[in-house]
Amino acid sequence: MAKKPKQQKQQQSGGTPATVALTAAGVPYEIHAYDHDPAHPSYGEEAAEAMGVSPDRVFKTLVADVDGALTVAVVPVAGQLDLKALAAALGGKRATMADPTLAERTTGYVRGGISPLGQRKKLRTVLDDSASAHPTICVSAGRRGLEVELSPKDLTNLTEAVLAPIGRA
């Protein structure tokens, strides 16, 4: 309950669709903001470094095409998405990375700031099962330089995600 005023403050000060969705759902979360460096080679690794958080607790949001349907994959920034495992998790045959412009248009977010929460169009979501090993994880809050920390269970519930081993080292 103590986090409620902080959530409302974030929303009032121009929250993103992701933070607005979290606030509306009454889910406890914490915002982490940092100065984004456009020259950094990896958005996710930059976030982990800037926040001083282990890369296995910071998750990146990727948009893939599974048998013709856009799908969100949420995996640790320390690893990569296993496209075959993603397809299998959804009972599909083939997965490829989605066109970045289509991903941005469909989610309403820009690359490097795509959040699994508050997307323009709700997409099927798969969360790497390694998230369950942590009390909280960090995902994009909807723009570069802004992360939201929440429990994997809350993220799973809000996105109706499937938990599956879709990441690889």
Side-chain angles (χ1 to χ4, degrees):
M1 196 81 172
K3 292 190 180 195
K4 200 98 168 143
K6 184 176 191 177
Q7 292 171 0
Q8 290 174 354
K9 181 180 178 193
Q10 176 65 25
Q11 184 178 1
Q12 291 168 355
S13 65
T16 67
T19 60
V20 170
L22 287 165
T23 300
V27 171
Y29 67 93
E30 186 173 338
I31 291 293
H32 299 278
Y34 60 92
D35 291 326
H36 166 62
D37 175 6
H40 200 288
S42 167
Y43 297 118
E45 289 175 11
E46 176 191 25
E49 291 166 10
M51 295 185 305
V53 174
S54 172
D56 64 336
R57 281 192 49 231
V58 179
F59 284 65
K60 56 188 169 188
T61 306
L62 303 170
V63 180
D65 180 312
V66 178
D67 295 339
L70 289 183
T71 303
V72 172
V74 185
V75 296
V77 301
Q80 296 179 344
L81 171 61
D82 182 334
L83 289 166
K84 288 182 182 182
L86 176 63
L90 296 172
K93 294 181 180 179
R94 184 169 184 265
T96 58
M97 293 305 297
D99 172 71
T101 303
L102 180 60
E104 289 178 341
R105 189 171 55 240
T106 304
T107 64
Y109 294 116
V110 297
R111 261 187 327 166
I114 294 178
S115 176
L117 300 157
Q119 295 179 357
R120 183 177 291 152
K121 179 180 178 191
K122 187 172 174 101
L123 301 174
R124 293 183 303 172
T125 302
V126 181
L127 174 61
D128 186 69
D129 62 358
S130 68
S132 299
H134 307 286
T136 61
I137 60 171
C138 298
V139 296
S140 176
R143 68 176 173 247
R144 296 173 188 153
L146 194 66
E147 294 282 310
V148 62
E149 182 176 351
L150 74 165
S151 80
K153 183 177 180 176
D154 285 337
L155 180 62
T156 300
N157 290 341
L158 287 172
T159 60
E160 299 175 8
V162 172
L163 280 174
I166 59 167
R168 63 175 182 210

